[in-house]
Amino acid sequence: DIVMTQAPLSVSVTPGESASISCRSSKSLLHSNGITYVYWYLQKPGKSPQLLIYRMSNLASGVPDRFSGSGSETDFTLKISRVEAEDVGIYYCGQLLENPLTFGSGTKLEIK
Amino acid sequence: EVQLVESGGVLVQPGRSMKLSCAASGFTFSSFPMAWVRQAPTKGLEWVATISTSGGSTYYRDSVKGRFTISRDNAKSTLYLQMDSLRSEDTATYYCTTGYPGITGWFAYWGQGTLVTVSS
């Protein structure tokens, strides 16, 4: 199984500042078609998860452009610019390259 | 607007069975593969099973293989998860999900979840 390792476990950010969350996969997520199958999700308190970033760097519909994704074959970063109070929650990376589909253990973002 | 509404989650004893349903609307259900993802209390996300558009192909995580069955009724726009021989470790909120495989992925849209509690 592909293991997704996230860091840090939690992050506390001042509104208006930036935050970065890292995710590392135990296997390359780069497919032979040139697409990297890493995804980012946010689960706000008491809510269902929502898709933020698909295929490493593509912003999902309705997601503010303060969110961005980048990375290589095994190391990925979610960056949140100008953090707002509504960004609090748990962020998960996930790989959709192969079964079993797997997620990281999550990074909790809090506001200072 | 895509809507996914799960139902069927209850308290059940270990070893018993339960069937979850997910009613879909706002999109052409028969054109989208579907999946179930679960989340144990205070834990992270765990993929459970995926089904193709026709229902002809299904995939499961090892821990539920042989106990859970994912199915769909395209005429009713409904996804199901039959869960047999339930264990305490199956206690979780179960989410119905869908999306564009290879693009936004199977987890682009989520229902509100239904809680399954396995306990004596």
Side-chain angles (χ1 to χ4, degrees):
Chain A
D1 298 2
I2 298 176
V3 177
M4 304 294 284
T5 303
Q6 285 185 237
L9 198 61
S10 66
V11 60
S12 184
V13 187
T14 300
E17 297 295 309
S18 295
S20 290
I21 298 171
S22 297
C23 176
R24 177 169 292 178
S25 60
S26 61
K27 174 183 174 179
S28 172
L29 300 184
L30 176 62
H31 191 277
S32 57
N33 62 11
I35 296 171
T36 304
Y37 288 97
V38 65
Y39 296 70
W40 289 95
Y41 304 87
L42 165 60
Q43 187 171 30
K44 295 183 179 182
K47 301 293 186 181
S48 301
Q50 64 182 94
L51 176 66
L52 295 175
I53 301 288
Y54 63 95
R55 300 196 312 192
M56 191 170 73
S57 58
N58 296 275
L59 203 61
S61 177
V63 176
D65 60 7
R66 300 182 291 101
F67 292 87
S68 63
S70 63
S72 62
E73 296 185 25
T74 58
D75 289 275
F76 314 101
T77 301
L78 175 71
K79 183 177 180 181
I80 312 166
S81 303
R82 306 180 305 280
V83 168
E84 299 182 3
E86 66 177 23
D87 300 334
V88 298
I90 301 176
Y91 291 79
Y92 296 94
C93 61
Q95 67 82 17
L96 274 61
L97 179 67
E98 63 183 42
N99 290 325
L101 308 177
T102 50
F103 297 91
S105 56
T107 296
K108 187 174 185 178
L109 185 144
E110 299 174 320
I111 298 294
K112 284 183 181 175
Chain B
E1 179 192 2
V2 172
Q3 285 205 326
L4 301 169
V5 180
E6 302 93 337
S7 60
V10 292
L11 170 63
V12 64
Q13 292 180 326
R16 303 297 290 267
S17 297
M18 176 188 298
K19 189 171 186 175
L20 304 181
S21 299
C22 171
S25 61
F27 64 103
T28 305
F29 181 76
S30 58
S31 297
F32 285 78
M34 301 292 296
W36 288 98
V37 174
R38 68 184 180 184
Q39 185 172 35
T42 72
K43 300 297 183 183
L45 304 173
E46 185 174 80
W47 168 74
V48 176
T50 303
I51 188 168
S52 62
T53 54
S54 67
S57 295
T58 56
Y59 307 90
Y60 302 90
R61 67 179 304 103
D62 284 348
S63 62
V64 308
K65 209 172 289 183
R67 299 189 300 121
F68 288 13
T69 303
I70 188 172
S71 63
R72 62 191 298 161
D73 185 334
N74 286 342
K76 294 183 178 179
S77 295
T78 303
L79 176 72
Y80 303 101
L81 186 66
Q82 175 68 42
M83 302 185 293
D84 299 324
S85 303
L86 282 161
R87 306 168 180 168
S88 58
E89 54 264 36
D90 296 319
T91 294
T93 295
Y94 285 73
Y95 295 100
C96 166
T97 71
T98 190
Y100 301 87
I103 306 177
T104 59
W106 291 274
F107 314 139
Y109 302 97
W110 300 66
Q112 86 288 348
T114 187
L115 178 61
V116 172
T117 304
V118 184
S119 174
S120 54

